[in-house]
Amino acid sequence: MGTQELTTDIIRAALASIPGPDGRTPLPRSGSLSEIVVHKGKVYFAIHVEAARAAQLEPLRLAAENIVRGIPGVEGVIVSLTDEKPAGATASTDNRQPGPRARAATTKAGVPGVKHIIAVASGKGGVGKSTTAANLALALSQLGHKVGLMDADIYGPSLPKLFGLSDKKPESEGRTLKPLTAYGLKLMSIGFLVDQEAAMIWRGPMVMSALQQILREVAWGELDILVVDMPPGTGDAQLTMAQSVPLSGAVIVSTPQDLALIDARRGVTMFEQVAVPVLGVIENMSYFICPHCSTRSDIFGHGGACTEAHRRGVPFLGEIALDMTIRETSDAGKPIVATAPEGPHAQAYLAIAKQVAESLAAPQRQPPRIVIER
Ligand code: ADP
């Protein structure tokens, strides 16, 4: 009924009223505009700038966002400044060379009100990173800290499911979004904001801008610790994130198998490269207790992550059993630390959380005490 379909041409036309990074040439003709993605009323693009001018050009980013937000039919807009070249037609999100190792971090300012941001990372998917991040955040909260959990796993956000919030949407207050809450945690996930298909087509700069937005445009309030569930892997996107989020430290989750350990090693190296302290390694699905006979077996070759952590000179934080109740509680949106806090698994997460909190509190960030359960 008279409403025009939202197209990239309409957006480019609106952006023509803004001068690009040189202050003269209209933005669409400045050579600095990335591809524009429009998906269900949401608009995503990046503006290529030199890293050194990123802070100075923040008003340009804001102006671009504001002008697009005013276009009829636009429900949301995410614009980021990037010092990547505008994405080529075939650029993929990960594994592009050269990686961002050579780039300066464009936005590494802290998040107001948030004392520490820690990353929970894994060298590959499926090792239980998100389950661990959720239970670690809950355990830190039970220790008396004010905790937030940010799901930055853009390609497979699992926080909505882990907390039984899949049908929930965060409310917005002006430019800021209010985090959801569950079991005393403040929660935000890219999964609350966009649908999976949209995230899958994003390129590196768009991923970054979405994450920066979650980090900075969510009303986190006062937090002692914000736990960030990172995307799995050690590709370009992960490295850029590790570099641009002001992290106090990182926790690496691994299973004990050889292959996972190789990936975990890459994870340690990645954080070392960007000078983020590795707070330690957690061995997940470490051992198995038979539900019938209670016999413990090390089906995946228990202990590998501990050995690997020691080899790399990083702390080993503890091990979590492979147990159906961990899976079932996660799948049911009732994480085990919240719903069975006295049980052995919750206690294992709590022991790990204590070490993480201690190491964040230590002035020199001393390696935490090493706990090896045998
Ligand atoms: P990732 O974030 O590494 O991809 P998830 O946390 O999504 O991994 O876990 C993958 C699957 O393994 C989920 O079904 C989860 O419930 C299950 N899982 C994670 N940790 C454990 C564990 N310690 N014991 C049993 N199942 C687990």
Side-chain angles (χ1 to χ4, degrees):
M1 299 210 296
T3 48
Q4 218 178 344
E5 196 200 341
L6 187 59
T7 61
T8 54
D9 283 346
I10 293 175
I11 292 155
R12 291 176 78 85
L15 290 172
S17 63
I18 304 177
D22 67 359
R24 290 189 313 273
T25 320
L27 186 55
R29 290 203 280 119
S30 66
S32 62
L33 194 59
S34 77
E35 178 193 8
I36 299 171
V37 173
V38 182
H39 188 86
K40 294 189 181 164
K42 306 247 171 56
V43 181
Y44 310 91
F45 60 90
I47 303 169
H48 169 66
V49 299
E50 286 161 44
R53 295 187 66 208
Q56 185 198 341
L57 290 172
E58 174 62 14
L60 168 62
R61 188 190 72 80
L62 277 176
E65 256 186 19
N66 285 335
I67 206 137
V68 174
R69 195 173 288 118
I71 300 173
V74 170
E75 288 173 25
V77 50
I78 297 180
V79 180
S80 73
L81 296 181
T82 166
D83 63 345
E84 291 190 11
K85 290 272 176 274
T90 55
S92 70
T93 313
D94 282 349
N95 304 325
R96 271 165 302 148
Q97 295 297 332
R101 289 168 181 81
R103 290 183 219 140
T106 47
T107 35
K108 214 174 172 173
V111 178
V114 178
K115 283 194 201 135
H116 292 290
I117 304 179
I118 61 168
V120 176
S122 64
K124 62 172 200 154
V127 300
K129 170 185 55 60
S130 299
T131 306
T132 307
N135 282 298
L136 176 63
L138 287 162
L140 287 163
S141 167
Q142 286 193 5
L143 293 174
H145 303 285
K146 284 190 226 124
V147 183
L149 177 60
M150 167 180 156
D151 181 2
D153 190 346
I154 206 129
Y155 303 112
S158 41
L159 185 149
K161 183 171 165 220
L162 275 167
F163 287 87
L165 297 169
S166 296
D167 52 350
K168 294 281 189 299
K169 288 268 169 274
E171 291 168 26
S172 53
E173 272 180 351
R175 272 188 63 91
T176 55
L177 279 175
K178 287 211 303 197
L180 296 176
T181 53
Y183 307 112
L185 297 184
K186 289 187 180 166
L187 303 168
M188 185 53 71
S189 168
I190 195 77
F192 294 139
L193 306 177
V194 290
D195 56 39
Q196 255 329 92
E197 302 147 57
M200 293 309 282
I201 58 168
W202 290 355
R203 304 190 196 294
M206 292 167 194
V207 171
M208 281 313 300
S209 62
L211 295 174
Q212 289 293 344
Q213 190 171 27
I214 304 185
L215 199 59
R216 295 174 198 287
E217 294 180 13
V218 168
W220 291 109
E222 297 289 316
L223 287 183
D224 296 317
I225 304 167
L226 177 61
V227 177
V228 178
D229 181 3
M230 294 275 286
T234 50
D236 215 29
Q238 291 80 355
L239 190 67
T240 307
M241 263 202 80
Q243 197 177 32
S244 56
V245 175
L247 294 170
S248 300
V251 171
I252 313 273
V253 182
S254 181
T255 55
Q257 301 105 306
D258 285 353
L259 282 176
L261 290 169
I262 294 169
D263 292 319
R265 198 174 305 156
R266 289 204 192 101
V268 172
T269 304
M270 177 176 85
F271 286 107
E272 284 173 353
Q273 272 174 345
V274 294
V276 171
V278 175
L279 304 176
V281 175
I282 298 173
E283 185 166 287
N284 187 40
M285 311 195 202
S286 179
Y287 55 89
F288 175 69
I289 300 187
C290 172
H292 304 295
C293 62
S294 299
T295 308
R296 172 176 163 155
S297 59
D298 298 335
I299 49 179
F300 289 148
H302 156 257
C306 180
T307 312
E308 187 56 39
H310 289 157
R311 191 176 295 149
R312 290 304 304 256
V314 300
F316 181 64
L317 295 171
E319 46 191 43
I320 304 294
L322 172 70
D323 194 305
M324 262 307 138
T325 53
I326 298 183
R327 170 158 301 181
E328 283 160 6
T329 49
S330 294
D331 291 351
K334 300 179 187 321
I336 199 151
V337 169
T339 51
E342 305 300 331
H345 301 310
Q347 293 302 314
Y349 285 115
L350 277 162
I352 290 170
K354 267 187 201 135
Q355 296 172 76
V356 168
E358 275 167 24
S359 99
L360 288 175
Q364 294 296 309
R365 216 163 288 137
Q366 299 288 340
R369 199 167 46 87
I370 292 168
V371 175
I372 305 167
E373 291 178 281
R374 291 271 177 219

